[in-house]
Amino acid sequence: MKIFLAGGAGYIGTHTAVELLNNGYEVVIVDDYANSCPEAVARVEELTGKKVALYEADVQDEQAMERIMRAEKPDTVIHFAGLKAVGESVQQPLRYYRNNINTTLSLLEAMEAVGVDKFIFSSSATVYGAQNPSPYKEDMPKGLCTNPYGWTKSMMEQILADAVVAYPRLGVVLLRYFNPIGAHESGRIGEDPQGIPNNLMPYVSQVAIGQRQELTIFGNDYDTPDGTCLRDYIHVVDLAEGHLKAVEFSENHQGIDVFNLGTGKPYSVLDIVNTFQEVNQVPVKYTIGPRRAGDLPICYADASKAKAVLGWEAKKTLADMCRDSWNWQKHNPKGYRK
Ligand code: UFG
């Protein structure tokens, strides 16, 4: 079977490509390298000893997607492409709506034209919004998002739900990610943010290696055990295995199904900092700052549906996540730029 990874050169795409290739799937990666680079794909090939069919193209370009799908005849499309910086989405909402929604539409149109009918979508826990209490369950009504990025995910889920009604052959799996961190244990692929990281773990790693002076913890006065926010951090290799299970599931699937990909175990910002320091024996200087606008105090998954239906559950511990993040950072201080 052949899997088409739109945005497959990025952080989650490369880890998923490794799992797919190691399990006998053929992989096509389409990426415009807006937030990734060909070197990441070269390392996927190096790790697996397998070739990837690699295309440089903008996923918004419907004709290009159609051309590549006609040439490659994939069985399933996984859609990882998209802009994902929450703060930036508040500053540039139109760019976010244009880019994220266009990519989804162009993939669906190309699939319809070529006759590809399995679609797996990178969604986010953000679609549960602020109203639902954690742990989030897939059958909760979606909530009100706090930023344009979140709304694009919510809207793309709606577009996909409408598409399966109109195209009965279509099978869609929505995967709602929680907080992916960590890296492949080889240290050859990992997260490579451009500029100042928005997310906690890359920031912690860059402080540990001396590229940033100190971490600011955004608030320690939340109603949580240590006052810092709780999140459901998931190792990116566990997340990649979740995609593998979703691909197997989608082979005989029609309609639309949604799965949380999280561990179900919440950890605080201080848990991350303390575990990182302990496991890696490296100091992480931090200070307590004000709350960040839009942050929820608590966000974690009920992960039981993915276990029951996909036969998947996260296996790696917080210590594994911290160790592998540091291993990647230490061996690639400038990311993929040598
Ligand atoms: N944090 C800090 N300091 C930092 C960065 C983050 O204290 O420098 C804290 C945040 O306040 C939060 C936690 O670390 O409590 C995690 O923050 P991230 O930015 O790493 O992740 P978020 O939970 O805010 O966002 C993630 C994804 C989004 C997604 C959102 C909701 O990055 O794509 O979860 O599911 F929308």
Side-chain angles (χ1 to χ4, degrees), residues 86-166:
V86 171
E88 187 181 67
S89 81
V90 177
Q91 305 303 320
Q92 304 174 19
L94 304 186
R95 180 170 160 242
Y96 268 67
Y97 286 114
R98 167 78 73 190
N99 181 89
N100 287 2
I101 289 171
N102 267 359
T103 55
T104 303
L105 294 176
S106 77
L107 286 172
L108 287 171
E109 285 167 354
M111 287 168 64
E112 171 62 10
V114 177
V116 180
D117 48 26
K118 304 296 176 214
F119 193 89
I120 297 174
F121 179 61
S122 297
S123 191
S124 165
T126 195
V127 303
Y128 288 106
Q131 290 76 17
N132 287 305
S134 280
Y136 297 139
K137 283 182 78 73
E138 291 87 345
D139 58 5
M140 286 173 166
K142 288 197 296 176
L144 300 175
C145 296
T146 53
N147 57 75
Y149 158 78
W151 279 118
T152 66
K153 291 290 180 192
S154 189
M155 288 176 188
M156 289 186 282
E157 286 199 359
Q158 185 61 46
I159 289 168
L160 289 162
D162 293 337
V164 296
V165 175

Side-chain angles (χ1 to χ4, degrees), residues 14-15 18 40 43-44 47 183-184 186-191 328 336:
T14 47
H15 287 82
V18 167
R43 295 198 188 178
V44 167
L47 280 173
H184 192 267
S186 64
R188 295 296 290 158
I189 55 172
E191 188 170 11
W328 155 255
Y336 290 110

Side-chain angles (χ1 to χ4, degrees), residues 124 126 149 179 198-200 216-218 229 231 292 295:
S124 165
T126 195
Y149 158 78
N179 289 59
N198 297 300
N199 297 110
L200 178 62
T216 302
I217 293 182
F218 299 139
C229 293
R231 293 288 181 275
R292 181 172 69 178
D295 272 346

